[in-house]
Amino acid sequence: MRKMMKNALGLFGVMLLACVESSARPLAPSEQDSATQPLESTSLESSLSQTDSSKVTKRSPSLYQPIALSKSSYGSFSIGYSQSHIQTKALSVVDSATNTRVSRGVDHIARGVFFGLERGMHWHNFMLGGYVNGVAAQDYSLSFGVRASYLIARYVVPSVGISWKLQHIQFPNDTKQYNIHGASFNAGLFVNIVRGFGLKLEGSYSYPLVILRGVDARAYGDPIFSGYAFAVSLCLYDFSI
């Protein structure tokens, strides 16, 4: 009995020593990969989730951006299309049939390329500046004036102005061109598209307009003209100059 116990204890000691040596032996490469795989997959999933979240939170810049304001002064330039109507009820013209002068109403229409320049200052979205508008094509005209505008939310600019207008005009049965001049009242609306560049609509009414040279005015019976015009243009407002 005592001999059997010694044999059992010896066998137990051998088995215990084998277990200790097995636990102390380093892992094989395949066993190391299997041991670290859960940790690596967890870190990969974390980085992917962070990348996805950054893509969700990062927004691409919008094209439709407001006007940038950096100085208290501004300037603008516009170019587009214009159409004007000049009319009078009594113009003394030569009748080609009788070769005598008769009083006749005139409605003169002219189309052309429109351009505008403006320079001014602004305070708390209120804008005040001087401007010049011009048209060149069938007739030629220039307007020099003062304009008041208001910047709404950096996207819309309504404006009103008053100017002195000079326009070349041709009368019926006369090859010459004459200058008429007078007061003109202007109203406009600018709509921003991207950082000060946008579309502008303008309308004007002119009265009274008279022939510039007195001798020509008397020859045509001292007529008084009125007129209106509209223009659509591409316009740029710059508040950094």
Side-chain angles (χ1 to χ4, degrees), residues 128-184:
L128 183 64
Y131 72 95
V132 54
N133 287 346
V135 178
Q138 296 176 340
D139 284 344
Y140 299 90
S141 67
L142 282 174
S143 298
F144 302 90
V146 178
R147 175 179 289 150
S149 311
Y150 193 82
L151 180 60
I152 301 176
R154 295 197 293 164
Y155 280 109
V156 180
V157 182
S159 62
V160 293
I162 183 171
S163 67
W164 172 77
K165 181 178 182 178
L166 176 67
Q167 180 169 346
H168 293 286
I169 188 172
Q170 187 173 352
F171 299 138
N173 302 324
D174 195 338
T175 58
K176 297 181 180 179
Q177 280 195 331
Y178 299 90
N179 292 326
I180 60 175
H181 70 114
S184 182

Side-chain angles (χ1 to χ4, degrees), residues 4-229:
M4 292 178 61
M5 290 183 65
K6 286 181 179 181
N7 293 335
L9 289 174
L11 182 60
F12 179 77
V14 172
M15 294 176 62
L16 181 61
L17 181 60
C19 291
V20 171
E21 290 178 354
S22 177
S23 61
R25 181 176 57 86
L27 294 175
S30 59
E31 294 174 345
Q32 290 180 357
D33 294 339
S34 62
T36 58
Q37 185 175 3
L39 181 59
E40 292 177 354
S41 62
T42 303
S43 62
L44 181 60
E45 291 176 358
S46 176
S47 63
L48 289 175
S49 63
Q50 291 178 0
T51 303
D52 293 338
S53 62
S54 64
K55 288 182 179 179
V56 172
T57 56
K58 185 178 179 180
R59 301 176 63 182
S60 59
S62 174
L63 177 65
Y64 191 74
Q65 298 177 6
I67 299 173
L69 304 178
S70 59
K71 291 186 178 180
S72 59
S73 60
Y74 73 94
S76 74
F77 171 75
S78 55
I79 185 168
Y81 167 82
S82 172
Q83 179 171 315
S84 66
H85 297 250
I86 300 294
Q87 56 192 3
T88 182
K89 293 182 179 180
L91 181 69
S92 177
V93 297
V94 177
D95 189 350
S96 58
T98 61
N99 201 25
T100 58
R101 287 194 171 271
V102 295
S103 181
R104 180 181 301 173
V106 173
D107 188 358
H108 179 76
I109 300 176
R111 302 171 181 86
V113 178
F114 171 86
F115 71 90
L117 294 171
E118 184 176 347
R119 191 78 164 90
M121 306 289 291
H122 71 95
W123 307 267
H124 303 289
N125 296 332
F126 177 76
M127 301 159 56
L128 183 64
Y131 72 95
V132 54
N133 287 346
V135 178
Q138 296 176 340
D139 284 344
Y140 299 90
S141 67
L142 282 174
S143 298
F144 302 90
V146 178
R147 175 179 289 150
S149 311
Y150 193 82
L151 180 60
I152 301 176
R154 295 197 293 164
Y155 280 109
V156 180
V157 182
S159 62
V160 293
I162 183 171
S163 67
W164 172 77
K165 181 178 182 178
L166 176 67
Q167 180 169 346
H168 293 286
I169 188 172
Q170 187 173 352
F171 299 138
N173 302 324
D174 195 338
T175 58
K176 297 181 180 179
Q177 280 195 331
Y178 299 90
N179 292 326
I180 60 175
H181 70 114
S184 182
F185 307 91
N186 176 280
L189 180 65
F190 169 80
V191 179
N192 176 67
I193 297 177
V194 54
R195 290 192 178 278
F197 180 80
L199 186 67
K200 189 173 187 180
L201 303 175
E202 295 185 58
S204 63
Y205 177 75
S206 303
Y207 183 85
L209 298 173
V210 297
I211 299 176
L212 184 61
R213 295 184 58 192
V215 61
D216 296 330
R218 289 188 294 271
Y220 279 95
D222 293 314
I224 297 177
F225 300 87
S226 63
Y228 63 92

